[in-house]
């Protein structure tokens, strides 16, 4: 499956962004979809996951601020990010969990200014 992320940008601290991840085929059968991020000089980290049943899980650093959702009919996964902080600055990627190397896309850059 090809995954294309979009929706990133430059935002001030406290602002919001909504990321989208469009899949090239149905994601209905994919158990767990996930958002990851990679900040400069740091390892890629798991941000949020969502199962086919809609169960979600979040990294401690984003709990209460980020919301992951999926629309299986549109083959799209979303990440609503509120109360953004400078430390959220990173390239954001979607993938499955556990990730599969061929599924990595270009990602979308999120930059939060203080």
């Amino acid at each position: 499956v090809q995954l294309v992320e979009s929706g990133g940008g430059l935002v001030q601290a406290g602002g919001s962004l909504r990321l989208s991840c469009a899949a090239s085929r149905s994601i209905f059968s994919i158990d767990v979809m996930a958002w990851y991020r990679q900040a400069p000089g740091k390892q890629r980290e798991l941000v949020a996951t969502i199962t086919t049943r809609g169960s979600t899980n979040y990294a401690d650093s984003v709990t209460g601020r980020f919301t992951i959702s999926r629309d299986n009919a549109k083959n799209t996964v979303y990440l609503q990010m509120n109360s953004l902080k400078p430390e959220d600055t990173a390239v954001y990627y979607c993938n499955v969990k556990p990730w599969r190397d061929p599924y990595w896309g270009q990602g979308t850059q999120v930059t939060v200014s203080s």
Side-chain angles (χ1 to χ4, degrees), residues 4 14 16 20 26-27 29 34-35 38 42 51-53 63 65 69 71-76 78-79 103-104 113:
V4 179
S16 298
S20 298
S26 174
I27 61 171
S29 62
W35 281 96
Q38 187 167 19
K42 296 187 177 180
T51 69
T52 52
R53 294 186 177 185
T63 297
R65 301 187 297 121
S69 60
D71 186 335
N72 290 334
K74 295 183 177 180
N75 301 329
T76 302
Y78 303 97
L79 186 68
Y103 291 179
W104 291 118
S113 63

Side-chain angles (χ1 to χ4, degrees), residues 5 8 28 38 40 54-55 58 64 68 87 92-93 98 104:
E5 301 91 348
F28 181 78
Q38 187 167 19
S55 296
Y58 300 91
I68 188 172
E87 50 264 45
Y92 285 71
Y93 304 87
W104 291 118

Side-chain angles (χ1 to χ4, degrees), residues 40-86:
K42 296 187 177 180
Q43 289 188 333
R44 193 168 292 174
E45 65 172 338
L46 179 64
V47 175
T49 62
I50 185 166
T51 69
T52 52
R53 294 186 177 185
S55 296
T56 59
N57 206 351
Y58 300 91
D60 289 344
S61 59
V62 307
T63 297
R65 301 187 297 121
F66 290 11
T67 302
I68 188 172
S69 60
R70 64 192 286 172
D71 186 335
N72 290 334
K74 295 183 177 180
N75 301 329
T76 302
V77 181
Y78 303 97
L79 186 68
Q80 177 67 44
M81 306 186 297
N82 299 327
S83 302
L84 282 161
K85 303 176 180 181

